[in-house]
Amino acid sequence: MAANASTNAVRALDILILLGEGGADGLALADLAEQVGEAKPAVHRSLVSLLQKGFAEPAGRHGYYRLGPTIPMLARRQTRIEPLILKYRPGMAEFSRKTGHAVYMMVQAGVDAVCAEMVTRSPSRQFSMGVGGRVPMGIAAGSVALMSMMSEAEYLQLLETNAPRYLNHPSVQYVDKAVVLGQILDAQRRGFAVNMGYYLPGEGGLGLPVRRSGNYGVDVAISFTAPLEMMTEDWLPKVMDDLRDCLGDAIR
């Protein structure tokens, strides 16, 4: 009974994540079942429960579903993240204005990193879905910066959990857990994370780890994308100093 309940809960959470990635157009039951990796009747049972509680709703096309109104209602009640957005956004906007780089505030959400805020002067350059977009912890500079603040036991556990996802994640260079581990150790040495063009052609990124303040705070990473030709060893520390200056008292 308990194991079945756990399976049902995991299935429902997987469906919610997929619906979030599906956007306003939603996803069909068959698509959900294929991506969850379970039979349509089981996925439909979980979907019915989500519909009843408002976590999912029918989309415009017949047989398609999307996130329901309960999700944003709960999000608005989350008091831990909004103050951080208000705290870091001015410095992010200033850095984006000065450099033209797209800037992201990343936070951990289980085995994933989620974009809690984004500032960009060029929407076409944003990764994934912008605000709310998620990547496996260990993918891209922001999530590596988050992992660089963890204890060794914590990041090694995440590496093991996400290892199959690294191999399946779209990339332009080979990425496995050994590659990600090397990036974490490099970030601990430098004080910031560097992605040398692993995931987008000609584009890399940097991530600044910012530790939580107080027992109830949240670790964040302020990251940004940059063309690879700019990312020389001389430029990296200088641009990170510029980012720290723009964030100012928010990170002190």
Side-chain angles (χ1 to χ4, degrees), residues 138-218:
I139 296 293
S143 71
V144 171
L146 290 171
M147 293 178 77
S148 74
M149 294 183 281
M150 297 178 176
S151 69
E152 183 179 29
E154 288 174 317
Y155 68 67
L156 288 178
Q157 179 60 55
L158 265 177
L159 285 173
E160 198 63 37
T161 301
N162 279 341
R165 303 175 72 196
Y166 300 149
L167 298 175
N168 293 326
H169 192 83
S171 64
V172 294
Q173 298 184 47
Y174 179 78
V175 177
D176 61 10
K177 67 179 182 180
V179 171
V180 178
L181 175 59
Q183 291 179 314
I184 294 169
L185 298 177
D186 181 65
Q188 292 176 334
R189 178 180 62 82
R190 292 179 185 268
F192 56 87
V194 180
N195 159 32
M196 291 301 291
Y198 280 97
Y199 306 104
L200 294 173
E203 187 161 273
L206 294 92
L208 178 68
V210 182
R211 290 190 181 275
R212 71 189 71 187
S213 57
N215 294 331
Y216 300 101
V218 177

Side-chain angles (χ1 to χ4, degrees), residues 88-117:
Y88 297 120
R89 196 178 201 283
M92 293 167 61
E94 177 67 8
F95 182 75
S96 181
R97 183 189 67 78
K98 286 185 174 181
T99 64
H101 300 306
V103 189
Y104 309 95
M105 188 182 102
M106 304 296 295
V107 298
Q108 183 182 2
V111 297
D112 291 343
V114 175
C115 178
E117 181 62 310

